[in-house]
Amino acid sequence: MKQVFLGGCGGLGTAGPFTFLDGFALTSSTRQGRENLILEAGTLSNLRVVITVAPGGAVTRTYTVWVNGVATALTCSIGPAATSAEDITHTVAVAAGDLITLKHTAAVGAAAANGVFSAVFEATTANRAVWGSQATGAPVLGGPAYGALGSTAENAFPSATAAGAAVPWAINCTITSFSIRIGPAPGAGKTRTFTIFRNGVAEASSALVFGAADTVLTVVGLSISVSPQDELCVESKSTGGPPAAAFSVGVSYAPSVDGQWNISGDYRADYAGGRYAPLNGQTGENVTENTRQVLAFPASAYLGPWFLSGLYVKTNTAPGGANTRTYTLRRNAANSALEVTLSGAATSGSIAGLIEMQAGDVLDMLQAKSAGAAASARQRWCFGALAPAARQRTMTGVGL
């Protein structure tokens, strides 16, 4: 099946920064912390990049997909007067366990701009979708600590509880494989253990125990059933005080309906409202919308539109009284029909509906609250996504 990778990175520098190909994150001068771990063999294609301001002068901006630290042929360059480019010629083979990232380069003098991008991943195995992320800062001692499974993270394991890290999923699916990469290894007499948690309960079959020299462990043949609105995270525990480590996580999953995939996002701050947040990441929200957008549509060779299906939202604290919180999918800097308002004692809500993605669409989330709404330290959401063929089938899930 074809799965659209949606990306964005806010501001663009000139130092050759890296960012996730799938998911929103601010750029980094190194690959570490900005790679997606892919657990299915397949191909990447149809890269498209859009920026807010042309480079200017005689300057170009170039975007290249890297696999395992090596530049690939999937690349495009935006000329001095242009604001977009695409590569519809090249495909890149990806093996299960590969790390992918997007690298941007530009000469000094390029006009400041914000960037969004998209590509297509097609797994070799039928009816398989993937999600993967990477971050620095895996806990040094003890634990447990928890990180989101499904929302691209810049910082690993930010919570001391599963409820403080988990994000909801929107579709019926079965997680079939789970992998962790760490670096460096724990060292003599030390261990790290990583386990998937679903709705606050450990999925024992997923446990990966890293010994002294282990840096990559994968479990296949899993059968972890996920239903709409289930919340997923990864638990990290350690013994003996292993060193601080970079951390990559990936899962592959089989949607109940071929052609579906999941999109989740969250953020961990509370503002007066009117702030924009990434659709599929954990970067803090911003008052400037185009610093938090992702590109919804890949290069023009991608066959047919795809659809976002429904919106489910959950927050830690209800607005209280007659107060409200409203969460809106924004499409091309305008409100879409996918909007959920939480009132009074409500901490979650959903809305049905299909939004068809078209060429050039950019997406983000808008959060607004009434003046008296209680503060909430965390908000999260999810959407179902489906390719054109899946649109024709009878569906189940959030908003379907």
Side-chain angles (χ1 to χ4, degrees):
M1 60 173 273
K2 290 182 177 179
Q3 177 180 353
V4 179
F5 283 178
L6 298 82
C9 61
L12 295 167
T14 58
F18 295 89
T19 192
F20 295 111
L21 183 60
D22 185 31
F24 185 98
L26 302 180
T27 57
S28 172
S29 60
T30 63
R31 288 185 294 112
Q32 188 178 81
R34 296 296 186 273
E35 294 175 303
N36 301 106
L37 177 58
I38 306 299
L39 288 193
E40 290 286 337
T43 57
L44 290 166
S45 63
N46 295 292
L47 174 67
R48 180 170 175 79
V49 180
V50 178
I51 60 176
T52 54
V53 181
V59 179
T60 62
R61 291 187 182 273
T62 299
Y63 299 82
T64 304
V65 173
W66 284 38
V67 177
N68 298 328
V70 178
T72 73
L74 190 57
T75 184
C76 62
S77 293
I78 299 177
T83 56
S84 66
E86 62 184 33
D87 183 348
I88 61 174
T89 302
H90 299 99
T91 60
V92 173
V94 178
D98 281 353
L99 293 168
I100 65 170
T101 188
L102 184 69
K103 184 179 182 181
H104 155 254
T105 55
V108 174
N114 300 316
V116 294
F117 35 87
S118 187
V120 174
F121 174 73
E122 186 169 9
T124 302
T125 301
N127 193 31
R128 286 293 187 275
V130 297
W131 174 83
S133 185
Q134 186 182 68
T136 56
V140 175
L141 291 172
Y146 300 86
L149 184 67
S151 177
T152 307
E154 297 181 45
N155 298 295
F157 305 107
S159 176
T161 66
V167 294
W169 280 48
I171 66 172
N172 288 299
C173 63
T174 300
I175 294 176
T176 56
S177 62
F178 171 53
S179 183
I180 295 284
R181 287 191 177 198
I182 58 173
K190 304 168 186 178
T191 68
R192 287 189 184 275
T193 302
F194 298 88
T195 308
I196 293 174
F197 270 55
R198 182 175 63 90
N199 298 329
V201 178
E203 295 286 349
S205 61
S206 70
L208 299 173
V209 182
F210 285 73
D214 293 327
T215 57
V216 181
L217 292 177
T218 303
V219 57
V220 298
L222 293 174
S223 185
I224 299 174
S225 178
V226 178
S227 298
Q229 303 179 18
D230 279 355
E231 297 202 342
L232 300 180
C233 65
V234 177
E235 180 193 67
S236 169
K237 296 191 294 186
S238 62
T239 62
F247 155 86
S248 302
V249 57
V251 294
S252 65
Y253 56 98
S256 295
V257 175
D258 190 9
Q260 279 190 297
W261 68 96
N262 179 74
I263 298 174
S264 298
D266 71 316
Y267 62 87
R268 303 170 185 281
D270 187 85
Y271 296 97
R275 295 275 186 140
Y276 303 98
L279 191 75
N280 55 346
Q282 296 180 345
T283 303
E285 67 267 35
N286 198 288
V287 294
T288 303
E289 186 165 15
N290 64 19
T291 68
R292 293 297 181 267
Q293 292 172 324
V294 297
L295 183 62
F297 211 87
S300 56
Y302 178 68
L303 299 177
W306 65 277
F307 302 83
L308 277 179
S309 173
L311 168 62
Y312 171 76
V313 174
K314 188 170 183 179
T315 184
N316 279 17
T317 306
N323 294 295
T324 61
R325 282 183 179 272
T326 299
Y327 301 85
T328 307
L329 172 70
R330 298 273 289 177
R331 178 185 180 195
N332 302 326
N335 288 357
S336 78
L338 294 183
E339 180 175 277
V340 172
T341 296
L342 306 182
S343 303
T347 57
S348 65
S350 64
I351 186 171
L354 286 175
I355 302 291
E356 181 178 331
M357 298 296 106
Q358 299 286 351
D361 283 353
V362 290
L363 305 174
D364 58 279
M365 291 291 292
L366 172 64
Q367 184 264 151
K369 68 175 184 176
S370 59
S376 181
R378 190 158 179 264
Q379 346 284 322
R380 58 265 197 204
W381 51 81
C382 59
F383 302 86
L386 52 151
R391 168 70 177 87
Q392 307 304 318
R393 302 186 180 101
T394 301
M395 311 289 290
T396 58
V398 172
L400 298 170

